[in-house]
Amino acid sequence: MSELDFATLAIRQGYLRTGEQEHSEAIFPTSSFVYESAAQAAARFSGEQPGNIYSRFTNPTVRAFEQRLSALEGAERCVATASGMAAIHSTFSALLKAGDHVLCSRSVFGSVPILLNKYFVKFGIEVDYVVLTDLNDWRTKLKANTRLLFIESPSNPLGEVVDIRALAELAHANSSLLIVDNCFCTPALQQPLKLGADLVVHSATKYIDGQGRCLGGAVAGAAVLVDEVYGFIRSAGPSLSPFNAWILLKGLETLELRMRAHSDSALQIARFLAQHPAVAKVYYPGLAEASTLELIKRQQSAYGGVLSFELAGGKNAAWQCIDRLKIFSITANLGDAKSTVTHPASTTHGRLSEAERLQAGISEGLVRLSIGLESVKDLQQDLQQALA
Ligand SMILES: *Cc1c(COP(=O)(O)O)cnc(C)c1O
């Protein structure tokens, strides 16, 4: 058979049916596994014989999720973690040593700079921050000891996009690794490894679950790198629970359909907001200017479900709009079937100083939407009445 398509892999890859002949994947809620003899236990622990040992590092449901996501990202190997931050923390812990330098995009999930500035610097790691879209900034800040480049593309909440292939080439010319947080696109819309990235990290909490039920994360890429991350997780323990792995495994089955629907609705809402008189500006990859749009179309198959817009009336106007919305939930989560609304300046980006916030382009009038799977007509009407 020729190579299977994404939709088939998302439903069929990575599960070994048990002797019970179940059709839907089984959950294995067990901490440990038993052996037929002392000799078999010894062989398992030494690695001489493959097989399950203990669910911190071997669990069949977790493995099924890892193998399915690995196939979807086009990775050699994938390891699952308890959350998206556990995936990022484990990757940094496994790959960095004292004296290494990290180049991190300014536009990444808020806990990442805290992790680097407050904790990793304690262990002798240097960090610099770069404007995501400015390849020249990346080039000039690379150093001989730069081990990792870390990005999200598209970024949160402004949907900015960097040329992943060009950035990977810059990184590799300096013997550095490029790590891409692929949470916003998921492999259904973008496969960074195929564009030259060395590792992909995920907050599976968002679109991979898709219904806001549980936390989870993953790291995928070349086996030599993922093996290192797996070794850290095996010893340190930020492992995914089999219950959550099962939810995420089932989430992958509908991922492509959902991502297409989120993207279609978000594009319609973005266009609606762009022509609304109360809206000063809309930030959405699908509304990018022509030269950027060309790049986005090259590396993403759609634009995703998150968009932001700016109200001229500042914070008062933003809060009033948020409070008037009837369908959208006021919550910082995203990637849910339920549409959500956030005021980044006072929540997700509230820990930044005003100067840092403005540098990141987060104004007081900015509102972020994660477009869910409700009727797009209903969502549009809700926004219409909230902005009236
Ligand atoms: C939510 C999020 C994370 C962190 O994931 P958790 O599962 O909440 O730990 C990392 N990156 C991005 C882009 C996110 O949206």
Side-chain angles (χ1 to χ4, degrees), residues 83-86 88 109 152 181 183-184 203 205-206 215-216 334:
S83 68
M85 283 316 302
I88 294 168
F109 187 69
E152 264 173 51
D181 182 332
C183 168
F184 271 48
S203 170
T205 312
K206 313 293 168 48
L215 297 186
L334 59 92

Side-chain angles (χ1 to χ4, degrees), residues 19 71 205 214 226 241 252 286 302 344 373:
T205 312
C214 70
V226 179
S241 101
L252 288 177
L373 302 175

